[in-house]
Amino acid sequence: YLLAPDSGTFDVVVLDISDPIEAGPAVHLYTQEFYELVAKKLNPGGVLVTQSGPAGLMNHTECFGAIHQTLKRAYSCVVPYAVAIPSFGSDWGFNVATNISGVDAASLKARDPQKTDAEISAKIRGPLRHYDGECHLSMFNLIKTVREGVAAEKRVITEANPVFMY
């Protein structure tokens, strides 16, 4: 639906898709070509969020960094983050990407927790069970090994050069 010519444009695109497994149904949805198409479907100020595979100490090299580097080919600001998902047995990685001018990774990572809490209170009725300003800082400030791994990643996922998770 997203890429249909008459589907319009979007403020937010959330890709909670299956992993890039060889011969899997979603492998093409992790490519530079796909991310460039999605960028064209976003309204000005639009944001893409995608699940990006395992982001734990021992498994972050599978595809997390490669997805991050691939997104950087289509978006001016890409920020990796991770959350604990107990049923997955590991921290799980995500990336948020946008072409909003003036937005950068450093400001998102260093966001004042009180400001985040105030915005949540202004926009959402009742308490949230997981997310708040302190949680935001934890999610976006990856442990050193993972942070360095993402920064050192050289792979860019394309139709001609896919990356598979095993």
Side-chain angles (χ1 to χ4, degrees), residues 30 45 78 82-83 102 139 144 151 154:
Y30 290 94
V78 180
V83 297
M139 290 167 49
K144 182 180 180 183
K154 301 292 184 222

Side-chain angles (χ1 to χ4, degrees), residues 30-33 35-36 63 65-74 153-163:
Y30 290 94
T31 63
Q32 179 180 343
E33 295 89 344
Y35 294 144
E36 289 169 348
C63 60
I67 293 168
H68 178 78
Q69 295 302 332
T70 304
L71 284 161
K72 285 174 62 175
R73 298 292 180 107
E153 180 63 64
K154 301 292 184 222
R155 297 174 295 171
V156 172
I157 306 168
T158 64
E159 289 290 338
N161 295 301
V163 169

